[in-house]
Amino acid sequence: MGRTGFGYQLDSGTGGSCSLRCRCDGVERRRSVPQKHRTGSSEGDSATIPIQEGDAESALHPADRSREWWLGDPQALRCAPEVQLLGNGDEVPEFACFEIVHYVSVAVIPVEYHWLVDRYWTHLRSTPTMDRMTTKTALITGANKGIGFAIAHGLGLQGIRVGIGARNDARRQEAVDKLRAAGIDAFGVPLDVTSDDSVAAAACSIHDLDILVNNAGISGGDQQNPTTLDIDVLRTTLDTNVFGVIRVTNALLPTLLRSASPRIVNVSSNMGSLALQTGPIMAAYAPSKTMVNAMTVQYARQLADTAVIVNACCPGYVATDFTAFASTRTPEEGAQIALKLATLPDDGPRGGFFDDAGSVAW
């Protein structure tokens, strides 16, 4: 029994093996996997390790269709057809940005991206089952550390595939590596929530999404007396904490709407509560969270007739670099309410603001 994913066609076959149908350099043949992507070498693509029948990594099997059917209109190609792969984007979302040249979603994968194929086979070898149709995918912004990382870890432990959205390449990869070492299916997503281009690229790279956690945020610094507030501080804080939420949500909403049970969680703070007025006076940060709460309600109202459930949460005063670690509450404890809202049943609350104790006053 087989199923199709972007860039490959899985065929469970006998013995749990799988195959990838492809065409290389215009010739139907078996494809070897570049050795550099196993060793981390940045040398040329000439060093390869052939994959043999019966190997744990199944061979890339020849296509059984003609070149004309396989490629569609050759004029549609924007790059040399080193590899053409068949599928619909379910399992390797990075492939979704490549040129589609046929109505059955034939994509052209340049040779420099063959590591994505190898990475996916590596993942398959550690996956007990080839049937991942029921696996959910989550994206957490600002997930390379602190509460965001704890949310990613918590979702991953529930068997959810987690995308680590972060600006810093090294920190993002470090977070992904830590999660994978814990047996979690994680992938990195370069993402600066203040950049339209970065958000658009991230949305293009994610083909399937069930859970979006808007966690990225900044404090705005310690000079937030409203009577002397630097407007640039307010503008910068809003750009990350509010406009970033809107950018990311709107860019990924079309993908979320394809999910059977989509969830959006906006990480807020009770400092944004007009009723509670907690914490120190922070005339940039606190109003930014007030607006996050307000936008949560507006999204919930707009999406009331869809399957998308949107809520905001307060993780509490957590020991992170955001608070200079001046708390005994751990990121794992702070992440619990976000985990609960991210996995709500279909009849769960909408447009609310919650912490561990329940509803938070607006």
Side-chain angles (χ1 to χ4, degrees):
M1 178 178 179
R3 56 181 291 261
T4 301
F6 198 95
Y8 62 92
Q9 177 173 327
L10 288 183
D11 185 356
S12 298
T14 59
S17 64
C18 54
S19 64
L20 176 65
R21 303 159 65 93
C22 74
R23 179 191 294 275
C24 305
D25 303 316
V27 179
E28 294 176 359
R29 66 183 185 206
R30 296 186 185 278
R31 176 71 180 175
S32 55
V33 179
Q35 186 176 28
K36 65 173 183 176
H37 302 310
R38 303 166 187 261
T39 63
S41 168
S42 59
E43 300 298 322
D45 192 53
S46 58
T48 62
I49 299 176
I51 301 176
Q52 305 296 330
E53 285 273 16
D55 283 356
E57 299 172 313
S58 298
L60 311 188
H61 289 276
D64 58 1
R65 299 177 175 86
S66 70
R67 176 181 175 84
E68 289 73 29
W69 191 95
W70 188 261
L71 288 179
D73 179 7
Q75 299 304 313
L77 298 177
R78 293 181 182 173
C79 54
E82 286 92 350
V83 182
Q84 290 84 40
L85 303 167
L86 173 65
N88 62 13
D90 283 346
E91 298 291 346
V92 189
E94 292 90 342
F95 288 169
C97 290
F98 291 112
E99 175 71 354
I100 302 301
V101 298
H102 197 276
Y103 74 97
V104 292
S105 300
V106 175
V108 177
I109 311 299
V111 68
E112 60 266 29
Y113 290 100
H114 290 175
W115 64 272
L116 284 172
V117 179
D118 187 38
R119 190 184 79 178
Y120 188 63
W121 293 122
T122 299
H123 164 66
L124 285 181
R125 291 198 306 278
S126 64
T127 303
T129 176
M130 305 300 291
D131 184 5
R132 301 182 55 78
M133 292 296 285
T134 60
T135 299
K136 291 185 176 181
T137 299
L139 172 66
I140 305 93
T141 68
N144 60 295
K145 59 182 179 178
I147 297 170
F149 181 83
I151 294 171
H153 186 267
L155 290 174
L157 290 179
Q158 297 181 48
I160 296 170
R161 184 170 181 255
V162 292
I164 305 303
R167 293 176 299 177
N168 186 283
D169 292 343
R171 292 175 182 172
R172 182 179 61 249
Q173 188 57 51
E174 182 181 1
V176 169
D177 291 344
K178 286 181 179 178
L179 292 170
R180 289 178 177 172
I184 291 170
D185 186 357
F187 62 99
V189 180
L191 180 57
D192 177 355
V193 301
T194 68
S195 166
D196 291 342
D197 290 342
S198 176
V199 170
C204 179
S205 74
I206 298 173
H207 186 80
D208 295 301
L209 189 66
D210 305 279
I211 299 166
L212 170 62
V213 181
N214 286 306
N215 168 75
I218 61 173
S219 69
D222 57 3
Q223 301 298 316
Q224 296 193 32
N225 182 330
T227 65
T228 58
L229 183 64
D230 186 334
I231 294 300
D232 285 339
V233 170
L234 177 60
R235 182 179 293 111
T236 300
T237 304
L238 292 176
D239 197 20
T240 298
N241 295 3
V242 181
F243 307 153
V245 169
I246 297 170
R247 280 190 193 95
V248 173
T249 300
N250 290 354
L252 288 165
L253 191 56
T255 308
L256 282 164
L257 286 168
R258 294 198 294 266
S259 170
S261 300
R263 305 289 181 262
I264 300 175
V265 180
N266 296 327
V267 178
S268 185
S269 168
N270 57 21
M271 289 183 65
S273 168
L274 298 176
L276 298 179
Q277 300 181 28
T278 61
I281 295 172
M282 298 186 72
Y285 176 78
S288 77
K289 293 304 184 180
T290 304
M291 192 168 181
V292 167
N293 294 344
M295 288 304 301
T296 298
V297 173
Q298 296 305 306
Y299 275 114
R301 293 179 63 195
Q302 183 65 41
L303 298 169
D305 294 330
T306 74
V308 182
I309 295 180
V310 188
N311 288 290
C313 71
C314 173
Y317 193 58
V318 174
T320 66
D321 58 2
F322 193 91
T323 62
F325 299 94
S327 174
T328 59
R329 185 171 171 82
T330 67
E332 291 72 25
E333 290 171 326
Q336 291 306 305
I337 183 59
L339 295 175
K340 180 178 180 180
L341 296 176
T343 55
L344 283 173
D346 292 342
D347 60 352
R350 294 170 176 251
F353 181 27
F354 304 93
D355 64 10
D356 288 345
S359 294
V360 180
W362 295 112

